[in-house]
Every structure is written in C-alpha cells, then in structure tokens.
Amino acid sequence: MKSYTIFSIIFFICLTLMSCKKTVIISHDPASPAPTDPANQRSFTIAFESLPDYHNTLEGLTVAITVEPSGSGKAIHISANLAYDQQYRTSAINLPKGTYRIKGLIIKNQQGYTLFATPVAGSAKANLVNKPLSVNMVLDQNAEQLMLLQVLAVNATDIPQSFGYSEGSFGNRTGDPDSEMDRQILVRPIIRVGHIIYDSIPAQLIVKSWNAKNEMTYNIHFLKGGAQGIYLSAKAIKHQLSISKWGSYDEFTLNKEDIQEGSVYDIGGDVEAKKLKSVLEYKIVNGISTPITKTDYEYHSNGLAKQKQVWGKRSDFSTHLVQKDIYEYINNKIGIIKSYDENNVLIKTTTVQYQNTANKISSIEEKTGNQTIHTEVTYTPLETRSGITQDYRIDAATNNGPGFPMTYLSKTMRGGSVLTDVIATENGPHAEGLYEYDFCVNPYAHLGIPDRQFLLYEKHNLKFQWKTWIRGYPENEPYTFNYTYDGDGYPKDLLNQYRNFQTKKDTYAIRTMYVYY
C-alpha cells in the first residue's frame, strides 16, 4: 500500500495548490444580500510584492479590503483568503462591473492581530511605499484583473493613524491590555435542501454592525465549509449576520452582551429540492453530437420517486425503451426495485435492506433469472469530521454468485463527497481513486435511489478524479468535468472529456443535460 500513500500525498499537494483558486463572491448592495447577476460580475485579485520579514505559515491569514464604488460613497468591506501561488495573493474576488477605489487593505492572522497594512496617501508611512492608497480600479473586462500592491509590517508600537486608518482599525493589538478586543465566534453555514442537510459548504456571510450612535458598517466574509472563525467589532453594540444561498435566506442578531466568544453559531435556511424530470446524454466525436440516452423520472404526489425510464437509440436512430424501473417503498425508503424491458417483461428484482437506526443501506440483493448478486454493507465512523457530519467509510462485499469472483468496494465519505475509494475483484483488477467535488447540489442524491455504488450518499458533484489501476485498466477514461449551474446550485449541463488510457489522446466527449420540473 505504499503506492497509495504516495498517491495520497500528491493528491493533497495538488488540492492545496488548487485552493488558491477559490472565488470570493461579493454582494453589491448591503441592504440586499441576494446574489447579483453573474453576467455582470467581474473578477480581480490583489497580489503583493512581499510580506516583509514574514516567515510563518499563511494558514488563517485574511486580507481585509475596503473598496468604494465610483459615485456611491458607500464603502464595501471584503474579507479574502491569502495564499501563495508564485507570489502572495488573495483568492479571486467578484464585484459588479464598474469603477472602484481601493481605500484600505489590512492583513490579519487568525487571532485578529494586524500583521501588515498598505498606507494611505498623506499618512506618516505613505512615503515608504511606491503606491499608497487609494488606488483606482476599473473592472470592465471579462479577464481576471491583477492589482499589485505593497504592504508594510505593522509593529506592536504602530498606531493605525500612522498608516492613515482610523483608531481601532487594526483590531486586537498586543501590549494594549486596556483596549477592548474584538471577539471571535465560529459561524457554520447549514442549508437543508429537501430532506438533505448541506453542512460543509462555502457561503457568503454579510455582517452588519451598529455602534452606539446607530451608525452602521458591514463586512462580507467568504466562509469555507464547516465552522469558520470571524471577528465581531468591539466598537459595535449590535451585529446582524445573514446568509443567502440557493434561494434560501437566514439571519440572526447578536447584541454585544450576548456574544459568546468561541461558540458555534449555525446559520442557513430551508429550501425545497428540485426534482429531476429528464437527463439527456450525447456522445461527441470529432465535433459531431449523437444522442445516446434519455432518462425520465416520475414522482408520487408526496414527492417520492415513482419510476425511471431509460430510452436509447437503435442503429437506425429509432427510439426504444431500454429499461423501466418501478420503486416500491417500505417506511418511506425504496425497498424493492422492479426492472422491466421494452416488452414490459420483468428482468430484474432488487431488494434493499436498511439499518434500523439510520437511513443507511445494510444489504442489496439483485435477482436476474437464475443469478443472484448479494451485497453486504458496513459503515465505520472516522475520527475526522466536516461540518456537523462525522466522516465515515463504506465497506461493501459483493457475492456475484457461484463461479464468479467476489468484488469489494471501500469509500471514504467526507461532508457528502467521496474522498477516496478502492474497488477490487478477487484475484483480479484493482482500482484506487482520489476525488474532488464541487459544493453545489447533486440532483441524484435527492432521488433516494439505492445502488451498489452508493451514489445516493454523494451530496455534491464530481469535479476531478485521480485513478490508479492494477491488473487491468479501462480503454478510455474521463479526465475533465465541466459543469454549468443554475442560480439554485443545480447542474444544468456537464461536459466530460474522455481520453485513451494509454496514449492520453482525446477520444470523445459525453455531454449531459439536466431538466427539472
């Protein structure tokens, strides 16, 4: 298993590098946290020549940026992650198309201490940088704009005014026991879509704060999945926190005296799940698209899946029914699946058993003619967790009947996504996979249809995969997964590019289109 360990290390290195590409989405109007039109969004990144005399990890460093739209006079406060990708830079930030001025930039650590700042023109420190603030920024082109700025180290004896910032702008300060410190809380975005809880998703958090004079300021934080720390200003007497995502909205208010430092506050909302109507697949070879299948779904009046019909194309391009599955329920879970051919002849019966205390499959048995395939499933909780969900491993052993080798599947699940899996056939092929998923809604998870790959437990959609094969490999493999999404976080279109496993040359593409009721 040494090769698997080395492969895992490479995967996590790649994942770390790719984390630099996360996008910060900004709401233009603080009074309306609903998402703005994506077509009107423009992207920019701020990079720094250096972080003077800084040799520690970048983990937990955030860049607090203040921008002001031309002519509005209303400042927008942005919090972005800091990473290193050939140079120190923020994650990409989206704002509506327009002209802005960058009026403030401060880099803080996880404890809320200011480490660096860009001086403002006219301040005592302004002559120490080539380009003091404010700086004009025009967001017009579709291409991501790079803004290069300088920062100076903020020492314990430095005051915000020497950089051109107002008193208290540097937040928590070392060696200043008399000043009231900003207070950190943990915010965990949780959104229930239908019957599924999404607790490991990034979200945009808007924090509005009022001081004793009832003057309001607001900040926008881009939160990763799970509980994330934010600081609430010590100057404010009241804070309102709100999240808007996938058509849901939630908010809560914290008075200064009610803040419990270090506590976890859940925020999210509920929204009805969309129902898949049809899924259409096309094969694209040399630019020519050919329909392959169309899958139609029907539902009972209570919203549970009733049946699935898969349509295919014959060689003469006439349409025929490939298979029809009818679902029978036991305690609101699919217990029996009856599969029929185009002549309405029963060809397969699948029986599913569940654990008594959880909505998890314990066994699946398929009977096709004289062959019976039986799968036993166990679950192992892991020490790590994402969001409020415990990470766990699925282990499935499948008896394919007399004369056929056993097959084994092991999947490690994290926050509704597959982290790793191992698929092995007794004395036969062996495959190991490492995966990365998006943070959007997987419509198949909401169907609740059981299968031996346990796809109903995948809340999100596959973006990347790294596979190793032993004693066998596929002729072609998918290596790109390009989605387009609707405003509610569901995929509308997926384009998979395939290549020959040995030559790595492109062979064909599969386009999948999703239609909802």
Side-chain angles (χ1 to χ4, degrees):
M1 299 300 290
K2 287 184 178 179
S3 62
Y4 181 74
T5 303
I6 294 171
F7 190 64
S8 301
I9 293 172
I10 294 172
F11 166 73
F12 285 113
I13 291 173
C14 294
L15 194 60
T16 301
L17 292 175
M18 284 187 291
S19 67
C20 302
K21 302 301 182 183
K22 291 182 179 177
T23 299
V24 182
I25 303 172
I26 302 302
S27 173
H28 179 62
D29 184 357
S32 177
T36 53
D37 180 8
N40 191 43
Q41 296 286 296
R42 296 296 183 266
S43 179
F44 73 97
T45 299
I46 296 179
F48 307 99
E49 295 178 355
S50 66
L51 299 183
D53 299 322
Y54 188 76
H55 307 291
N56 297 326
T57 176
L58 296 181
E59 181 67 28
L61 295 191
T62 57
V63 184
I65 309 158
T66 302
V67 300
E68 186 176 289
S70 178
S72 77
K74 293 182 178 180
I76 299 176
H77 302 277
I78 304 165
S79 178
N81 297 324
L82 182 65
Y84 186 82
D85 184 10
Q86 298 182 335
Q87 61 185 159
Y88 298 102
R89 61 171 62 203
T90 67
S91 47
I93 303 168
N94 286 348
L95 281 172
K97 180 180 177 181
T99 301
Y100 300 83
R101 294 199 69 80
I102 300 176
K103 303 196 71 174
L105 188 144
I106 295 170
I107 300 177
K108 296 183 178 183
N109 65 10
Q110 286 180 311
Q111 290 72 42
Y113 295 112
T114 296
L115 304 181
F116 305 95
T118 301
V120 176
S123 67
K125 301 272 190 178
N127 63 340
L128 299 179
V129 296
N130 295 326
K131 190 189 295 183
L133 301 178
S134 63
V135 174
N136 194 53
M137 178 176 65
V138 178
L139 299 180
D140 187 26
Q141 304 299 319
N142 289 324
E144 183 177 290
Q145 184 166 334
L146 178 66
M147 302 293 295
L148 186 62
L149 297 179
Q150 285 178 272
V151 292
L152 298 178
V154 176
N155 300 314
T157 56
D158 286 330
I159 60 173
Q161 292 88 332
S162 66
F163 284 76
Y165 295 88
S166 61
E167 183 179 356
S169 297
F170 286 174
N172 300 341
R173 303 304 309 279
T174 57
D176 189 8
D178 296 328
S179 64
E180 187 177 7
M181 298 177 66
D182 294 344
R183 304 178 74 179
Q184 186 189 53
I185 64 171
L186 299 173
V187 178
R188 180 168 52 200
I190 297 179
I191 297 177
R192 182 187 293 274
V193 180
H195 67 282
I196 297 178
I197 294 176
Y198 288 80
D199 58 4
S200 305
I201 53 174
Q204 177 180 284
L205 175 72
I206 295 178
V207 180
K208 299 178 182 178
S209 302
W210 289 265
N211 62 16
K213 297 179 181 180
N214 203 33
E215 297 170 332
M216 190 268 283
T217 60
Y218 74 99
N219 288 272
I220 302 174
H221 302 267
F222 182 77
L223 304 181
K224 300 177 182 178
Q228 301 292 313
I230 68 165
Y231 280 89
L232 299 178
S233 172
K235 295 180 178 180
I237 61 172
K238 183 178 70 172
H239 307 272
Q240 182 193 76
L241 292 78
S242 64
I243 277 181
S244 175
K245 189 178 181 73
W246 297 342
S248 70
Y249 176 79
D250 192 21
E251 68 175 44
F252 66 86
T253 299
L254 279 176
N255 293 321
K256 183 175 184 178
E257 61 272 16
D258 297 328
I259 297 173
Q260 299 180 26
E261 192 163 12
S263 295
V264 178
Y265 294 84
D266 293 338
I267 185 171
D270 296 345
V271 63
E272 288 294 323
K274 287 186 175 182
K275 293 179 173 60
L276 266 178
K277 181 179 181 180
S278 301
V279 178
L280 300 91
E281 286 189 321
Y282 301 85
K283 187 175 184 178
I284 304 171
V285 181
N286 297 325
I288 300 175
S289 178
T290 304
I292 306 174
T293 62
K294 179 187 178 188
T295 303
D296 293 326
Y297 296 92
E298 295 182 17
Y299 300 85
H300 293 286
S301 58
N302 62 1
L304 298 176
K306 179 180 180 181
Q307 71 174 23
K308 177 180 74 174
Q309 296 184 93
V310 181
W311 304 88
K313 291 289 185 179
R314 294 189 175 92
S315 57
D316 62 358
F317 294 103
S318 61
T319 302
H320 71 105
L321 180 65
V322 177
Q323 183 171 306
K324 177 173 68 174
D325 292 342
I326 296 179
Y327 308 114
E328 298 179 9
Y329 286 81
I330 301 173
N331 297 326
N332 288 323
K333 296 186 288 289
I334 294 176
I336 298 174
I337 305 173
K338 293 183 177 179
S339 302
Y340 299 85
D341 65 12
E342 62 179 324
N343 298 314
N344 207 33
V345 175
L346 181 66
I347 57 175
K348 181 174 66 176
T349 300
T350 304
T351 303
V352 185
Q353 300 290 333
Y354 297 85
Q355 294 180 349
N356 292 330
T357 57
N359 189 27
K360 290 182 177 179
I361 298 168
S362 60
S363 68
I364 301 178
E365 186 171 272
E366 295 181 2
K367 290 187 177 181
T368 306
N370 296 324
Q371 184 183 16
T372 298
I373 300 175
H374 185 85
T375 301
E376 286 289 332
V377 191
T378 59
Y379 301 86
T380 303
L382 304 177
E383 292 182 0
T384 54
R385 65 175 58 240
S386 178
I388 62 172
T389 305
Q390 180 101 27
D391 293 3
Y392 64 96
R393 189 181 71 244
I394 305 171
D395 293 298
T398 299
N399 186 334
N400 294 291
F404 294 94
M406 292 282 293
T407 54
Y408 302 92
L409 168 67
S410 180
K411 271 188 172 184
T412 299
M413 304 296 298
R414 170 169 294 171
S417 301
V418 181
L419 182 62
T420 66
D421 71 6
V422 178
I423 303 173
T425 301
E426 194 173 26
N427 300 321
H430 176 104
E432 298 177 359
L434 295 165
Y435 306 95
E436 182 183 351
Y437 282 66
D438 65 14
F439 291 107
C440 291
V441 179
N442 178 1
Y444 295 109
H446 294 270
L447 293 169
I449 300 175
D451 65 273
R452 292 207 306 271
Q453 287 73 46
F454 308 98
L455 301 179
L456 75 166
Y457 299 140
E458 299 178 18
K459 302 178 187 179
H460 304 290
N461 305 288
L462 179 62
K463 283 179 58 180
F464 299 103
Q465 66 175 16
W466 295 263
K467 304 278 283 191
T468 54
W469 300 84
I470 302 172
R471 293 189 298 273
Y473 51 82
E475 180 180 357
N476 297 290
E477 61 174 352
Y479 72 97
T480 64
F481 300 78
N482 295 318
Y483 294 89
T484 57
Y485 304 93
D486 64 17
D488 298 320
Y490 291 78
K492 297 191 301 181
D493 189 281
L494 165 63
L495 186 65
N496 286 126
Q497 184 66 53
Y498 283 73
R499 64 187 178 189
N500 183 276
F501 182 83
Q502 289 184 295
T503 66
K504 305 305 180 187
K505 292 183 178 179
D506 287 355
T507 50
Y508 59 88
I510 298 293
R511 184 185 183 191
T512 305
M513 300 177 65
Y514 303 88
V515 181
Y516 302 91
Y517 280 100

